[in-house]
Amino acid sequence: MTEDQSDVILEVRNLVVEFSSEDGPLRAVDGVSFAVRRGEIVGLVGESGAGKTLTSEAMLRLVRCPPGRISGEVRFRGQNLLALDEPALAGIRGKEIAMIFQNPGASLNPVFRVGDQLLEAMRLHLREPARSLRERVGEILGRVGIPSAATRARDYPHQFSGGMAQRVMIGIGISCVPSLLIADEPTTALDVTIQAQVLALLRSLARELGVAVLLVSHDLGIISQMCHRVLVMYAGRIVEEADVATIFRAPAHPYTRGLIDCLPRMDGSARLGTIAGVMPGLRSLPSGCPFHPRCPLAEPRCAEEAPKLRSAGDHHSAACLLVGT
Ligand SMILES: Nc1ncnc2c1ncn2[C@@H]1O[C@H](COP(=O)(O)OP(=O)(O)O)[C@@H](O)[C@H]1O
Ligand SMILES: [Mg+2]
């Protein structure tokens, strides 16, 4: 992957998502910044409640939070998506930026045939005659690995297994040839063997089509198999960022080390590691470093000072006061 800035297709700067409560604003996403380059697969990982889904949905203004707010900048092809009017943004969502969610069953409409839903997704964005789009339906379903695609196009969603339904969602996602695909826990609802097949499909499509992927998952194992670069999220913040080899070889943040220690080993034996405690809720965020109450290395200053992301090596940063000391 080159470091040429012209390769950057998405740049998120200081993204904040706040909800309001009687006790004041609750900050669920707290100043998140990152970039995605053309054709790159970037992983966003962290335990449940870290703010991964809100981050990915807020980028496309899919979070309803009034009287809370979304702020920051989401630059895509030179435009700030957070400042676009709704019709302009609707022209980008589903076309240039596609989204795939955890539960494919809920994303498909039960009363329409699968092929018609794929056709409709293309009709919404592509100015091509209906007949040529209709011909593409079978082609796309075949490409995402649905056997007897032309026949299956006439089936309804309930006739598809979870894995096959997620393949359909991926087909809808790539149907308009996006430059970015955001996949939020795309295989979490699937059996392990099916999970591996769907991930392999995502990876090969990303490579063949040159589409960049932001892969959101609580599972560092999945992220390690799929991604070039990793963003580790905790309590609404990015706490570490590095390429995937560096994350595993030289993790700088104790939270990242904790996630790695929880992974099953190659020989099948479980590691002993667990991270004590749980992710704090928005109403009870700790002072200083939000990870300090769970951190095996915490010092008194960690309860006072909130660490900013700082360099931990080449193209590697971590938000921990102990980094570089
Ligand atoms: N509409 C909402 N109102 C208030 N809090 C919310 C809302 N949606 C999400 N949250 C909170 O924001 C935090 C991050 O949620 P989410 O982005 O779904 O986490 P993740 O996807 O990493 O599991 C959680 O603490 C969640 O409870
Ligand atoms: Mg989520």
Side-chain angles (χ1 to χ4, degrees), residues 16-27:
V16 171
V17 178
E18 275 178 349
F19 298 102
S20 48
S21 77
E22 304 97 63
D23 311 326
L26 299 174
R27 214 169 242 228

Side-chain angles (χ1 to χ4, degrees), residues 134-149:
R134 202 165 288 126
E135 279 165 14
R136 288 242 287 282
V137 166
E139 221 172 275
I140 291 169
L141 291 179
R143 180 138 200 207
V144 295
I146 293 185
S148 323

Side-chain angles (χ1 to χ4, degrees), residues 41 220 223-230 240-252 256 260 314-316:
I41 306 184
L220 189 58
I223 297 285
S224 72
Q225 296 164 33
M226 292 286 294
C227 300
H228 303 116
R229 211 150 46 80
V230 182
E240 183 155 9
E241 171 177 357
D243 63 72
V244 73
T246 304
I247 284 283
F248 282 88
R249 189 171 31 79
T256 310
I260 292 171
D314 252 4
H315 309 296
H316 182 188

Side-chain angles (χ1 to χ4, degrees), residues 19 26 28 46-55 64 184 216 280-282:
F19 298 102
L26 299 174
E47 291 161 293
S48 177
K52 308 180 297 296
T53 293
L54 284 175
T55 298
R64 298 275 159 264
D184 187 358
V216 176
L282 299 182

